[in-house]
mmCIF file with all atom_site columns, all heavy atoms in Angstrom:
data_model
loop_
_atom_site.group_PDB
_atom_site.id
_atom_site.type_symbol
_atom_site.label_atom_id
_atom_site.label_alt_id
_atom_site.label_comp_id
_atom_site.label_asym_id
_atom_site.label_entity_id
_atom_site.label_seq_id
_atom_site.pdbx_PDB_ins_code
_atom_site.Cartn_x
_atom_site.Cartn_y
_atom_site.Cartn_z
_atom_site.occupancy
_atom_site.B_iso_or_equiv
_atom_site.pdbx_formal_charge
_atom_site.auth_seq_id
_atom_site.auth_comp_id
_atom_site.auth_asym_id
_atom_site.auth_atom_id
_atom_site.pdbx_PDB_model_num
ATOM 1   N N   . ARG A 1 266 ? -202.234 -29.220 -93.714 1.00 90.00 ? 286 ARG A N   1
ATOM 2   C CA  . ARG A 1 266 ? -202.978 -30.493 -93.589 1.00 90.00 ? 286 ARG A CA  1
ATOM 3   C C   . ARG A 1 266 ? -202.037 -31.635 -93.482 1.00 90.00 ? 286 ARG A C   1
ATOM 4   O O   . ARG A 1 266 ? -202.257 -32.619 -92.866 1.00 90.00 ? 286 ARG A O   1
ATOM 5   C CB  . ARG A 1 266 ? -203.890 -30.565 -94.786 1.00 90.00 ? 286 ARG A CB  1
ATOM 6   C CG  . ARG A 1 266 ? -204.921 -31.646 -94.570 1.00 90.00 ? 286 ARG A CG  1
ATOM 7   C CD  . ARG A 1 266 ? -205.987 -31.689 -95.817 1.00 90.00 ? 286 ARG A CD  1
ATOM 8   N NE  . ARG A 1 266 ? -206.780 -30.440 -95.689 1.00 90.00 ? 286 ARG A NE  1
ATOM 9   C CZ  . ARG A 1 266 ? -206.714 -29.453 -96.509 1.00 90.00 ? 286 ARG A CZ  1
ATOM 10  N NH1 . ARG A 1 266 ? -205.771 -29.447 -97.529 1.00 90.00 ? 286 ARG A NH1 1
ATOM 11  N NH2 . ARG A 1 266 ? -207.494 -28.395 -96.427 1.00 90.00 ? 286 ARG A NH2 1
ATOM 12  N N   . LEU A 1 267 ? -200.834 -31.596 -94.285 1.00 89.00 ? 287 LEU A N   1
ATOM 13  C CA  . LEU A 1 267 ? -199.838 -32.685 -94.133 1.00 89.00 ? 287 LEU A CA  1
ATOM 14  C C   . LEU A 1 267 ? -199.318 -32.793 -92.703 1.00 89.00 ? 287 LEU A C   1
ATOM 15  O O   . LEU A 1 267 ? -199.152 -33.869 -92.291 1.00 89.00 ? 287 LEU A O   1
ATOM 16  C CB  . LEU A 1 267 ? -198.808 -32.401 -95.171 1.00 89.00 ? 287 LEU A CB  1
ATOM 17  C CG  . LEU A 1 267 ? -197.627 -33.356 -95.167 1.00 89.00 ? 287 LEU A CG  1
ATOM 18  C CD1 . LEU A 1 267 ? -198.020 -34.817 -95.495 1.00 89.00 ? 287 LEU A CD1 1
ATOM 19  C CD2 . LEU A 1 267 ? -196.463 -32.874 -96.077 1.00 89.00 ? 287 LEU A CD2 1
ATOM 20  N N   . TYR A 1 268 ? -198.940 -31.656 -92.230 1.00 89.00 ? 288 TYR A N   1
ATOM 21  C CA  . TYR A 1 268 ? -198.264 -31.682 -90.855 1.00 89.00 ? 288 TYR A CA  1
ATOM 22  C C   . TYR A 1 268 ? -199.298 -32.118 -89.742 1.00 89.00 ? 288 TYR A C   1
ATOM 23  O O   . TYR A 1 268 ? -198.998 -32.904 -88.906 1.00 89.00 ? 288 TYR A O   1
ATOM 24  C CB  . TYR A 1 268 ? -197.759 -30.341 -90.455 1.00 89.00 ? 288 TYR A CB  1
ATOM 25  C CG  . TYR A 1 268 ? -196.603 -29.862 -91.331 1.00 89.00 ? 288 TYR A CG  1
ATOM 26  C CD1 . TYR A 1 268 ? -196.591 -28.638 -91.843 1.00 89.00 ? 288 TYR A CD1 1
ATOM 27  C CD2 . TYR A 1 268 ? -195.556 -30.689 -91.633 1.00 89.00 ? 288 TYR A CD2 1
ATOM 28  C CE1 . TYR A 1 268 ? -195.510 -28.275 -92.614 1.00 89.00 ? 288 TYR A CE1 1
ATOM 29  C CE2 . TYR A 1 268 ? -194.501 -30.303 -92.342 1.00 89.00 ? 288 TYR A CE2 1
ATOM 30  C CZ  . TYR A 1 268 ? -194.471 -29.025 -92.973 1.00 89.00 ? 288 TYR A CZ  1
ATOM 31  O OH  . TYR A 1 268 ? -193.456 -28.717 -93.727 1.00 89.00 ? 288 TYR A OH  1
ATOM 32  N N   . LEU A 1 269 ? -200.592 -31.819 -89.927 1.00 89.00 ? 289 LEU A N   1
ATOM 33  C CA  . LEU A 1 269 ? -201.561 -32.209 -89.028 1.00 89.00 ? 289 LEU A CA  1
ATOM 34  C C   . LEU A 1 269 ? -201.853 -33.731 -89.203 1.00 89.00 ? 289 LEU A C   1
ATOM 35  O O   . LEU A 1 269 ? -202.169 -34.371 -88.180 1.00 89.00 ? 289 LEU A O   1
ATOM 36  C CB  . LEU A 1 269 ? -202.906 -31.400 -89.272 1.00 89.00 ? 289 LEU A CB  1
ATOM 37  C CG  . LEU A 1 269 ? -202.870 -29.977 -88.943 1.00 89.00 ? 289 LEU A CG  1
ATOM 38  C CD1 . LEU A 1 269 ? -204.206 -29.312 -89.241 1.00 89.00 ? 289 LEU A CD1 1
ATOM 39  C CD2 . LEU A 1 269 ? -202.530 -29.740 -87.449 1.00 89.00 ? 289 LEU A CD2 1
ATOM 40  N N   . SER A 1 270 ? -201.704 -34.263 -90.325 1.00 88.00 ? 290 SER A N   1
ATOM 41  C CA  . SER A 1 270 ? -201.954 -35.734 -90.516 1.00 88.00 ? 290 SER A CA  1
ATOM 42  C C   . SER A 1 270 ? -200.923 -36.541 -89.787 1.00 88.00 ? 290 SER A C   1
ATOM 43  O O   . SER A 1 270 ? -201.115 -37.733 -89.460 1.00 88.00 ? 290 SER A O   1
ATOM 44  C CB  . SER A 1 270 ? -202.000 -36.018 -92.047 1.00 88.00 ? 290 SER A CB  1
ATOM 45  O OG  . SER A 1 270 ? -200.657 -35.788 -92.664 1.00 88.00 ? 290 SER A OG  1
ATOM 46  N N   . ARG A 1 271 ? -199.684 -35.928 -89.708 1.00 89.00 ? 291 ARG A N   1
ATOM 47  C CA  . ARG A 1 271 ? -198.589 -36.683 -88.991 1.00 89.00 ? 291 ARG A CA  1
ATOM 48  C C   . ARG A 1 271 ? -198.877 -36.755 -87.425 1.00 89.00 ? 291 ARG A C   1
ATOM 49  O O   . ARG A 1 271 ? -198.185 -37.607 -86.736 1.00 89.00 ? 291 ARG A O   1
ATOM 50  C CB  . ARG A 1 271 ? -197.294 -36.036 -89.180 1.00 89.00 ? 291 ARG A CB  1
ATOM 51  C CG  . ARG A 1 271 ? -196.860 -36.034 -90.627 1.00 89.00 ? 291 ARG A CG  1
ATOM 52  C CD  . ARG A 1 271 ? -195.529 -35.231 -90.800 1.00 89.00 ? 291 ARG A CD  1
ATOM 53  N NE  . ARG A 1 271 ? -195.146 -35.367 -92.282 1.00 89.00 ? 291 ARG A NE  1
ATOM 54  C CZ  . ARG A 1 271 ? -194.093 -34.732 -92.807 1.00 89.00 ? 291 ARG A CZ  1
ATOM 55  N NH1 . ARG A 1 271 ? -193.403 -33.865 -92.000 1.00 89.00 ? 291 ARG A NH1 1
ATOM 56  N NH2 . ARG A 1 271 ? -193.814 -34.834 -94.047 1.00 89.00 ? 291 ARG A NH2 1
ATOM 57  N N   . LEU A 1 272 ? -199.845 -36.071 -86.898 1.00 88.00 ? 292 LEU A N   1
ATOM 58  C CA  . LEU A 1 272 ? -200.199 -36.233 -85.468 1.00 88.00 ? 292 LEU A CA  1
ATOM 59  C C   . LEU A 1 272 ? -200.912 -37.451 -85.206 1.00 88.00 ? 292 LEU A C   1
ATOM 60  O O   . LEU A 1 272 ? -200.838 -38.003 -83.997 1.00 88.00 ? 292 LEU A O   1
ATOM 61  C CB  . LEU A 1 272 ? -201.010 -35.003 -85.071 1.00 88.00 ? 292 LEU A CB  1
ATOM 62  C CG  . LEU A 1 272 ? -200.387 -33.624 -85.068 1.00 88.00 ? 292 LEU A CG  1
ATOM 63  C CD1 . LEU A 1 272 ? -201.377 -32.559 -84.787 1.00 88.00 ? 292 LEU A CD1 1
ATOM 64  C CD2 . LEU A 1 272 ? -199.284 -33.602 -84.015 1.00 88.00 ? 292 LEU A CD2 1
ATOM 65  N N   . ASP A 1 273 ? -201.608 -38.074 -86.175 1.00 83.00 ? 293 ASP A N   1
ATOM 66  C CA  . ASP A 1 273 ? -202.240 -39.326 -85.997 1.00 83.00 ? 293 ASP A CA  1
ATOM 67  C C   . ASP A 1 273 ? -203.206 -39.383 -84.833 1.00 83.00 ? 293 ASP A C   1
ATOM 68  O O   . ASP A 1 273 ? -203.078 -40.251 -83.958 1.00 83.00 ? 293 ASP A O   1
ATOM 69  C CB  . ASP A 1 273 ? -201.168 -40.451 -85.901 1.00 83.00 ? 293 ASP A CB  1
ATOM 70  C CG  . ASP A 1 273 ? -201.843 -41.818 -86.115 1.00 83.00 ? 293 ASP A CG  1
ATOM 71  O OD1 . ASP A 1 273 ? -202.967 -41.887 -86.676 1.00 83.00 ? 293 ASP A OD1 1
ATOM 72  O OD2 . ASP A 1 273 ? -201.155 -42.787 -85.654 1.00 83.00 ? 293 ASP A OD2 1
ATOM 73  N N   . GLY A 1 274 ? -203.950 -38.334 -84.642 1.00 80.00 ? 294 GLY A N   1
ATOM 74  C CA  . GLY A 1 274 ? -204.910 -38.163 -83.579 1.00 80.00 ? 294 GLY A CA  1
ATOM 75  C C   . GLY A 1 274 ? -204.345 -37.536 -82.333 1.00 80.00 ? 294 GLY A C   1
ATOM 76  O O   . GLY A 1 274 ? -205.093 -37.213 -81.367 1.00 80.00 ? 294 GLY A O   1
ATOM 77  N N   . ALA A 1 275 ? -203.018 -37.207 -82.225 1.00 85.00 ? 295 ALA A N   1
ATOM 78  C CA  . ALA A 1 275 ? -202.493 -36.506 -81.085 1.00 85.00 ? 295 ALA A CA  1
ATOM 79  C C   . ALA A 1 275 ? -202.922 -35.084 -81.156 1.00 85.00 ? 295 ALA A C   1
ATOM 80  O O   . ALA A 1 275 ? -203.162 -34.490 -82.254 1.00 85.00 ? 295 ALA A O   1
ATOM 81  C CB  . ALA A 1 275 ? -200.993 -36.646 -81.096 1.00 85.00 ? 295 ALA A CB  1
ATOM 82  N N   . PRO A 1 276 ? -203.055 -34.380 -79.985 1.00 88.00 ? 296 PRO A N   1
ATOM 83  C CA  . PRO A 1 276 ? -203.539 -32.987 -80.154 1.00 88.00 ? 296 PRO A CA  1
ATOM 84  C C   . PRO A 1 276 ? -202.390 -31.989 -80.571 1.00 88.00 ? 296 PRO A C   1
ATOM 85  O O   . PRO A 1 276 ? -201.236 -32.207 -80.245 1.00 88.00 ? 296 PRO A O   1
ATOM 86  C CB  . PRO A 1 276 ? -203.802 -32.660 -78.659 1.00 88.00 ? 296 PRO A CB  1
ATOM 87  C CG  . PRO A 1 276 ? -202.967 -33.667 -77.796 1.00 88.00 ? 296 PRO A CG  1
ATOM 88  C CD  . PRO A 1 276 ? -202.859 -34.902 -78.668 1.00 88.00 ? 296 PRO A CD  1
ATOM 89  N N   . LEU A 1 277 ? -202.894 -30.928 -81.251 1.00 89.00 ? 297 LEU A N   1
ATOM 90  C CA  . LEU A 1 277 ? -201.947 -29.845 -81.678 1.00 89.00 ? 297 LEU A CA  1
ATOM 91  C C   . LEU A 1 277 ? -201.933 -28.895 -80.562 1.00 89.00 ? 297 LEU A C   1
ATOM 92  O O   . LEU A 1 277 ? -202.906 -28.389 -80.057 1.00 89.00 ? 297 LEU A O   1
ATOM 93  C CB  . LEU A 1 277 ? -202.517 -29.200 -82.959 1.00 89.00 ? 297 LEU A CB  1
ATOM 94  C CG  . LEU A 1 277 ? -201.683 -28.003 -83.468 1.00 89.00 ? 297 LEU A CG  1
ATOM 95  C CD1 . LEU A 1 277 ? -200.259 -28.464 -83.874 1.00 89.00 ? 297 LEU A CD1 1
ATOM 96  C CD2 . LEU A 1 277 ? -202.458 -27.306 -84.671 1.00 89.00 ? 297 LEU A CD2 1
ATOM 97  N N   . LYS A 1 278 ? -200.679 -28.591 -80.082 1.00 91.00 ? 298 LYS A N   1
ATOM 98  C CA  . LYS A 1 278 ? -200.482 -27.693 -78.855 1.00 91.00 ? 298 LYS A CA  1
ATOM 99  C C   . LYS A 1 278 ? -200.193 -26.251 -79.283 1.00 91.00 ? 298 LYS A C   1
ATOM 100 O O   . LYS A 1 278 ? -200.757 -25.356 -78.619 1.00 91.00 ? 298 LYS A O   1
ATOM 101 C CB  . LYS A 1 278 ? -199.387 -28.221 -78.029 1.00 91.00 ? 298 LYS A CB  1
ATOM 102 C CG  . LYS A 1 278 ? -199.713 -29.597 -77.324 1.00 91.00 ? 298 LYS A CG  1
ATOM 103 C CD  . LYS A 1 278 ? -198.609 -30.047 -76.450 1.00 91.00 ? 298 LYS A CD  1
ATOM 104 C CE  . LYS A 1 278 ? -199.031 -31.417 -75.771 1.00 91.00 ? 298 LYS A CE  1
ATOM 105 N NZ  . LYS A 1 278 ? -197.912 -31.835 -74.875 1.00 91.00 ? 298 LYS A NZ  1
ATOM 106 N N   . ARG A 1 279 ? -199.386 -26.020 -80.236 1.00 92.00 ? 299 ARG A N   1
ATOM 107 C CA  . ARG A 1 279 ? -198.918 -24.742 -80.541 1.00 92.00 ? 299 ARG A CA  1
ATOM 108 C C   . ARG A 1 279 ? -198.866 -24.525 -82.072 1.00 92.00 ? 299 ARG A C   1
ATOM 109 O O   . ARG A 1 279 ? -198.412 -25.410 -82.731 1.00 92.00 ? 299 ARG A O   1
ATOM 110 C CB  . ARG A 1 279 ? -197.528 -24.282 -79.938 1.00 92.00 ? 299 ARG A CB  1
ATOM 111 C CG  . ARG A 1 279 ? -197.523 -24.378 -78.368 1.00 92.00 ? 299 ARG A CG  1
ATOM 112 C CD  . ARG A 1 279 ? -196.195 -24.121 -77.842 1.00 92.00 ? 299 ARG A CD  1
ATOM 113 N NE  . ARG A 1 279 ? -196.214 -24.083 -76.407 1.00 92.00 ? 299 ARG A NE  1
ATOM 114 C CZ  . ARG A 1 279 ? -196.040 -25.145 -75.668 1.00 92.00 ? 299 ARG A CZ  1
ATOM 115 N NH1 . ARG A 1 279 ? -195.881 -26.392 -76.262 1.00 92.00 ? 299 ARG A NH1 1
ATOM 116 N NH2 . ARG A 1 279 ? -196.062 -25.148 -74.287 1.00 92.00 ? 299 ARG A NH2 1
ATOM 117 N N   . ILE A 1 280 ? -199.267 -23.323 -82.466 1.00 93.00 ? 300 ILE A N   1
ATOM 118 C CA  . ILE A 1 280 ? -199.044 -22.965 -83.920 1.00 93.00 ? 300 ILE A CA  1
ATOM 119 C C   . ILE A 1 280 ? -198.745 -21.519 -84.092 1.00 93.00 ? 300 ILE A C   1
ATOM 120 O O   . ILE A 1 280 ? -199.275 -20.694 -83.309 1.00 93.00 ? 300 ILE A O   1
ATOM 121 C CB  . ILE A 1 280 ? -200.372 -23.320 -84.712 1.00 93.00 ? 300 ILE A CB  1
ATOM 122 C CG1 . ILE A 1 280 ? -200.109 -23.103 -86.198 1.00 93.00 ? 300 ILE A CG1 1
ATOM 123 C CG2 . ILE A 1 280 ? -201.506 -22.609 -84.294 1.00 93.00 ? 300 ILE A CG2 1
ATOM 124 C CD1 . ILE A 1 280 ? -201.187 -23.631 -87.092 1.00 93.00 ? 300 ILE A CD1 1
#
Side-chain angles (χ1 to χ4, degrees):
R286 193 174 291 107
L287 173 63
Y288 294 132
L289 292 177
S290 64
R291 294 176 180 176
L292 292 174
D293 195 18
L297 177 65
K298 293 183 178 180
R299 296 176 181 85
I300 185 168

